Amino acid sequence: MGGAESGTSAVNEAERLNAVQASASAGTEAERLDAAQASASAGTEVERLDAAQASASAGTEADRLDAVQASANNRERWLAHAAEADFGVVLADHAVAYTASVVVKSAAYKGRSVSLLPTALFVIIPRDRLKTRLGEVLQPLDEAGRAALPAGIHFISGPSRSADIENDLTIGVHGPGIVYALLIG
């Protein structure tokens, strides 16, 4: 491992440790899980921030373009890792009892590929995030307004089911083939 790589991994490890410490001091179980999930992806966030700082301080247009390309390459590398994963683990933002759906919002520390690319998905649902009806989840999103919405809101109700013209059923074409929901708290 080269000097630059070991420096980056030390920064990533420090970020993860800070996030784990924050998770230990968080108030509710849900806050601890959110902090733990943030710590799991802290390395990628640090690398994105490094690329953004490099592009902001780059002297020439060519330097800025190189920094943007490096950031895009890093993203592609993490997407490739997610695509090869056997399973993904996500923390649900909400769950809806009537439709047996979980809601996962995208954020800087919660990539969408974790819930879409692996073969199996484990969704952790804190009990205080469980709602009876879909309207209980949608109403606050509507009231918050369009500007406050995240880039993606994913409603997951189990493995996708697709059939071709001959009615050959295929499960898990558009996401994980197996979905487990774990209710905690």
Side-chain angles (χ1 to χ4, degrees):
M1 183 184 296
E5 289 177 10
S6 65
T8 301
S9 65
V11 169
N12 292 345
E13 188 61 28
E15 278 295 315
R16 285 188 190 96
L17 288 173
N18 287 339
V20 168
Q21 287 173 342
S23 71
S25 63
T28 67
E29 183 70 19
E31 289 169 341
R32 283 193 290 277
L33 288 169
D34 281 337
Q37 190 173 24
S39 73
S41 61
T44 60
E45 188 64 23
V46 169
E47 291 169 2
R48 271 183 280 209
L49 290 172
D50 286 347
Q53 286 175 338
S55 68
S57 62
T60 67
E61 185 65 24
D63 291 339
R64 281 191 280 280
L65 290 174
D66 286 343
V68 168
Q69 182 62 42
S71 178
N73 290 343
N74 185 42
R75 183 179 186 282
E76 292 301 319
R77 186 178 56 140
W78 284 107
L79 284 174
H81 283 300
E84 294 172 7
D86 292 326
F87 65 91
V89 179
V90 297
L91 180 65
D93 291 293
H94 302 284
V96 183
Y98 275 8
T99 60
S101 301
V102 293
V103 180
V104 179
K105 299 177 193 174
S106 63
Y109 63 92
K110 291 186 341 183
R112 295 175 240 197
S113 57
V114 174
S115 65
L116 296 172
L117 297 179
T119 306
L121 176 64
F122 292 88
V123 183
I124 300 168
I125 307 166
R127 199 165 108 195
D128 62 335
R129 297 183 184 186
L130 180 62
K131 307 297 181 194
T132 305
R133 294 186 175 92
L134 187 58
E136 295 173 64
V137 173
L138 295 176
Q139 185 175 2
L141 295 172
D142 186 42
E143 290 170 356
R146 183 177 226 170
L149 292 176
I153 303 171
H154 309 280
F155 294 84
I156 303 168
S157 298
S160 68
R161 298 172 179 273
S162 298
D164 62 14
I165 197 162
E166 296 174 5
N167 284 331
D168 290 330
L169 181 64
T170 306
I171 296 176
V173 173
H174 306 290
I178 303 167
V179 178
Y180 297 101
L182 307 168
L183 188 61
I184 60 171

